[in-house]
Amino acid sequence: MKSRVAITGLGSLSALGNDVAAHLEGLRAGTVGIGETRGVDVSSMKTKISAEVRGFVPEEHFEPRQLGLIDRTSQFAVVAARQALADAGPAFEGVARHRVGAIFAASVGSHAVDDSYRKLYAEGAARPHPFTVPRAMPSGQVSHVTMDLGIHGPAFAIASACSSAAHAIGTAFHMVRSGMLDVAVSGGAESQLTYGMLKSWEALRVLSPDGCRPFSKDRAGLVIGEGAGAVVLENMDRAIARGATIHAELVGFGMSADGMDITAPDMASAAASMRFALEDAGLAPEQIDFVSAHGTATVLNDKTEAGALRLVFGDHLARLPVSSSKSQYGHTMNASGALDFVTTVLALREGFLPPTMGFREPDPDCALDCVPNASRPAAIEAAISSSFAFGGLNAVLALKRFGG
């Protein structure tokens, strides 16, 4: 018998603020956290904007001896996980240590790599920082989370580019639902705001020079962001018994692979992942009240996603709000599935639709109610959060408002 899965803890850092309360306030207010890049010298770049996490002081969160071992990406993951566990209360209390797990996105420590290459190639150093490897390894963030929170059960990182955090949360959900775990901490973090990575993304010619405008006809590309999202998932019966605050219920997870192209998305495959999530949740398309879209604001991705939504929802799409919060906090890459998921949980819990900011003109290829330029109140009973990654690796999470 499958167990129900409660979402009892939330944590986040984003360009909207460094905790969930600030993130929620920014979503409701339609705040755009995108601005001139300050942390990297972008004078030689065409793209001079990003969605940075502002006011984050590592020394306020970590001991000096830790800072040489932990990349900015892992710092974000640990802080978000701490927030989520604090929000969940004594979620680990009375649970056997092997029944608490941690599943996070895999992300290379970009700052560690960039620092070491600059020292070697530009400055002629004899060797890089001695802890470059542990700082840069893709499993770094989940390793630091387990050490920080004292987690001893199953723990690993999942790599699927911009779907990584959604795959991580979905995997944690299946592990709790199946009875393998009683509690899981899951999510993802990313900070690619380094000179090398920004130049690499610029070379792809997918970056917008002047803002993120998902689904708008004049959209000009994505905006790189940084941040983290984390959640605590636990067995519903246990969460109710211990009197936990339940933010929402995670009810379904769908996955697919395009199997076609490394960068160009496939409409049918994206639609399949949404259908699989609905089937897993036991929900009909007409029961969905809100879609948190992947919505990167590239011409092809938005067009493909809108087409996939038409395939899945048919006539219901005319009544279905579909918004992209990347317009507010940028595309946080491997963390995006977690931040978008936290955003979706808040929408259900608080009863509002996050906006798609920067929208200027309708696009016939993206004929959606994208909640343009201002949030609005709405009673949401069920929603999906979609992530579609380079390499055609897709992950969709289905949620319901908790009603007891």
Side-chain angles (χ1 to χ4, degrees):
M1 180 178 176
K2 295 178 180 178
S3 300
R4 293 170 67 190
V5 178
I7 304 164
T8 57
L10 301 175
S12 71
L13 298 94
S14 74
L16 300 182
N18 294 350
D19 57 32
V20 172
H23 189 76
L24 171 59
E25 182 181 358
L27 291 170
R28 277 180 156 158
T31 302
V32 175
I34 296 166
E36 183 178 352
T37 302
R38 300 177 187 173
V40 181
D41 181 0
V42 293
S43 58
S44 66
M45 300 184 198
K46 295 179 181 178
T47 305
K48 301 183 186 300
I49 60 171
S50 63
E52 294 174 295
V53 170
R54 310 283 194 186
F56 180 80
V57 181
E59 290 78 9
E60 293 178 357
H61 302 280
F62 301 95
E63 297 295 329
R65 62 180 180 81
Q66 294 176 285
L67 291 176
L69 288 164
I70 184 167
D71 187 81
R72 185 173 173 88
T73 289
S74 295
Q75 292 172 18
F76 288 169
V78 168
V79 172
R82 287 175 183 170
Q83 292 176 10
L85 185 57
D87 182 39
F92 297 173
E93 192 173 284
V95 181
R97 57 193 284 166
H98 67 282
R99 296 186 62 79
V100 178
I103 299 89
F104 272 71
S107 296
V108 172
S110 297
H111 291 265
V113 172
D114 205 64
D115 289 346
S116 66
Y117 285 178
R118 184 179 63 254
K119 286 184 172 66
L120 290 172
Y121 299 144
E123 300 173 7
R127 63 180 178 86
H129 192 287
F131 296 130
T132 296
V133 170
R135 287 168 61 196
M137 65 185 188
S139 58
Q141 61 177 296
V142 71
S143 296
H144 282 288
V145 167
T146 63
M147 292 182 286
D148 193 81
L149 301 186
I151 293 173
H152 299 279
F156 50 92
I158 292 179
S160 54
C162 303
S163 293
S164 298
H167 274 115
I169 292 171
T171 300
F173 160 66
H174 277 173
M175 294 173 78
V176 174
R177 188 173 69 172
S178 70
M180 179 183 291
L181 296 176
D182 292 322
V183 185
V185 183
S186 186
E190 185 82 275
S191 177
Q192 291 193 3
L193 295 181
T194 67
Y195 183 81
M197 286 307 301
L198 288 176
K199 290 292 282 187
S200 297
W201 278 103
E202 191 173 75
L204 269 175
R205 300 181 181 180
V206 296
L207 298 186
S208 170
D210 59 356
C212 183
R213 299 184 292 278
F215 306 117
S216 185
K217 188 176 182 180
D218 67 339
R219 62 193 181 277
L222 60 88
V223 174
I224 302 288
E226 62 176 355
V231 295
V232 174
L233 307 177
E234 59 182 297
N235 175 280
M236 179 68 78
D237 291 340
R238 181 179 180 278
I240 292 172
R242 72 177 183 86
T245 297
I246 298 170
H247 299 296
E249 182 176 357
L250 184 48
V251 293
F253 177 40
M255 299 176 280
S256 67
D258 294 359
M260 294 181 66
D261 192 276
I262 197 68
T263 57
D266 177 64
M267 186 184 302
S269 182
S273 62
M274 288 188 263
R275 288 197 186 100
F276 295 153
L278 295 177
E279 290 171 8
D280 192 42
L283 292 169
E286 295 74 22
Q287 291 178 275
I288 298 300
D289 302 310
F290 169 57
V291 174
S292 178
H294 188 58
T296 62
T298 62
V299 172
L300 181 58
N301 281 1
D302 286 7
K303 176 181 177 179
T304 301
E305 185 167 9
L309 288 163
R310 284 193 295 272
L311 291 176
V312 174
F313 292 101
D315 293 341
H316 180 57
L317 188 60
R319 302 179 296 278
L320 180 61
V322 178
S323 71
S324 172
S325 297
K326 291 180 178 67
S327 61
Q328 295 185 260
Y329 50 75
H331 191 345
T332 57
M333 304 301 157
N334 291 21
S336 63
L339 266 175
D340 293 352
F341 183 75
V342 169
T343 293
T344 311
V345 173
L346 293 173
L348 266 76
R349 191 190 76 186
E350 301 294 322
F352 79 106
L353 299 171
T356 300
M357 300 303 294
F359 188 84
R360 293 177 180 171
E361 56 181 316
D363 182 348
D365 290 329
C366 301
L368 305 169
D369 172 11
C370 66
V371 195
N373 300 319
S375 65
R376 60 180 187 245
I380 304 170
E381 294 296 324
I384 62 171
S385 179
S386 300
S387 296
F388 308 123
F390 269 4
L393 308 179
N394 309 312
V396 178
L397 298 156
L399 305 83
K400 289 175 66 176
R401 189 177 69 84
F402 178 66

